[in-house]
Amino acid sequence: MLVDSHCHIDFEEYADRIPQVLENMARNQVTHALCVCVNLADFPRVLALAESHSQLFASVGVHPDQGEDASPGVKDLIERARHPKIVALGETGLDYYRQSGDLEWQRTRFRTHIRAARECGKPLIIHTRDAGEDTLRIMREERASEFGGVMHCFTETLEIAQAAMELNFYISFSGIVTFKNAHAIKEVAKAVPLERMLVETDSPYLAPVPQRGKTNEPSWVRHVAEEIARLRGISLEAVAAATTDNFFRLFRPVL
Ligand SMILES: [Zn+2]
Ligand SMILES: [Zn+2]
């Protein structure tokens, strides 16, 4: 069995096809998915999905691509994170690729999420793009290692993966690992120990080979796991078992 550790099936794309998405998961032995919040305005929708489906869990957070005005306070996050179906804080982090200019607000928002995670004892879902060094620096300064989390949709170097693992973080691979030209990330996926690895779709984005160009969905996390198994010369079952165990060890959801 497999778990999609990161998806956004609360987005409009899925408004009238959640039953189909859940059925496709079941058919591919994808037993659970974590629906990740990107903005407090969307939080009720994310939580409602998790509350009405036993296969789904949720998080609370504000994505670094959401403009400066969307920044939450520590209290806003903690209040929402107390719900038993909320298993993590995020996604949060730094994105220097999609946002430019003075990004001090992004770094402040990231610190706010780390402080909220500490207060509620739940792990972090970190998004980092073209900002690896600053991300690690803030993780160290805020002692994120005390409660850990995941570096989601990992696209950085092996050195950054290693530094994150030393800080008690898991590394999550998305459909990017199936892309033909993604040589560097394939190498990282071979090197990260299985016991530190998660798999995800980041649906609706990044549909894996052989579904590229379509709206991604959690059942296709299977293609991600298959590619990692192929790269490492091990069985799909071995990748599925390890990444599923890791998911439950990290997020400790109430089943
Ligand atoms: Zn992300
Ligand atoms: Zn995401």
Side-chain angles (χ1 to χ4, degrees):
M1 71 189 209
L2 282 157
V3 176
D4 181 0
S5 73
H6 189 116
C7 67
H8 301 286
I9 53 172
D10 63 302
F11 286 7
E12 261 169 30
E13 285 89 330
Y14 308 97
D16 42 18
R17 49 182 292 256
I18 288 294
Q20 185 64 55
V21 165
L22 296 175
E23 198 186 309
N24 293 344
M25 281 171 61
R27 204 175 314 120
N28 286 282
Q29 282 104 43
V30 177
T31 58
H32 296 88
L34 172 48
C35 188
V36 174
C37 181
V38 297
N39 195 315
L40 289 192
D42 299 343
F43 178 75
R45 207 172 59 188
V46 176
L47 178 60
L49 267 180
E51 278 184 320
S52 41
H53 303 285
S54 60
Q55 311 87 315
L56 302 178
F57 307 113
S59 71
V60 60
V62 180
H63 194 289
D65 287 350
Q66 300 284 325
E68 190 171 356
D69 329 335
S71 292
V74 174
K75 212 173 136 236
D76 297 321
L77 295 170
I78 293 173
E79 274 168 6
R80 292 167 175 83
R82 289 229 165 89
H83 191 287
K85 271 279 183 163
I86 302 303
V87 299
L89 277 291
E91 58 182 295
T92 181
L94 304 177
D95 193 323
Y96 294 173
Y97 178 82
R98 293 239 197 96
Q99 296 274 348
S100 54
D102 177 7
L103 297 179
E104 190 54 28
W105 60 268
Q106 251 190 19
R107 293 183 283 273
T108 301
R109 180 187 294 174
F110 184 25
R111 289 182 198 275
T112 299
H113 281 78
I114 303 178
R115 288 167 196 175
R118 163 168 298 103
E119 291 220 22
C120 39
K122 293 188 180 182
L124 284 160
I125 299 166
I126 296 185
H127 168 113
T128 182
R129 193 149 180 217
D130 287 358
E133 290 305 328
D134 275 9
T135 301
L136 289 169
R137 176 174 59 78
I138 292 174
M139 287 162 73
R140 289 190 189 103
E141 286 172 3
E142 299 288 338
R143 305 192 316 278
S145 60
E146 289 171 15
F147 38 89
V150 57
M151 307 300 283
H152 109 89
C153 193
F154 196 77
T155 52
E156 307 291 323
T157 61
L158 182 57
E159 289 66 37
I160 291 187
Q162 271 155 350
M165 288 188 281
E166 278 163 27
L167 291 172
N168 199 18
F169 274 69
Y170 289 79
I171 308 298
S172 180
F173 294 96
S174 68
I176 293 176
V177 80
T178 69
F179 298 175
K180 256 199 197 77
N181 297 327
H183 305 294
I185 210 65
K186 286 179 197 285
E187 289 306 311
V188 179
K190 278 200 250 182
V192 166
L194 268 188
E195 58 272 17
R196 300 306 292 177
M197 184 184 287
L198 295 176
V199 284
E200 67 172 83
T201 59
D202 207 8
S203 302
Y205 314 113
L206 302 171
V209 173
Q211 313 285 358
R212 279 198 82 170
K214 299 184 192 161
T215 300
N216 202 355
E217 58 175 79
S219 59
W220 294 345
V221 76
R222 191 188 184 91
H223 299 300
V224 177
E226 277 170 353
E227 176 62 9
I228 291 171
R230 190 190 70 77
L231 289 166
R232 299 175 75 108
I234 59 177
S235 65
L236 170 63
E237 289 70 25
V239 174
T243 54
T244 298
D245 277 2
N246 295 343
F247 179 88
F248 287 102
R249 192 179 323 112
L250 173 62
F251 294 111
R252 304 184 306 275
V254 181
L255 293 173

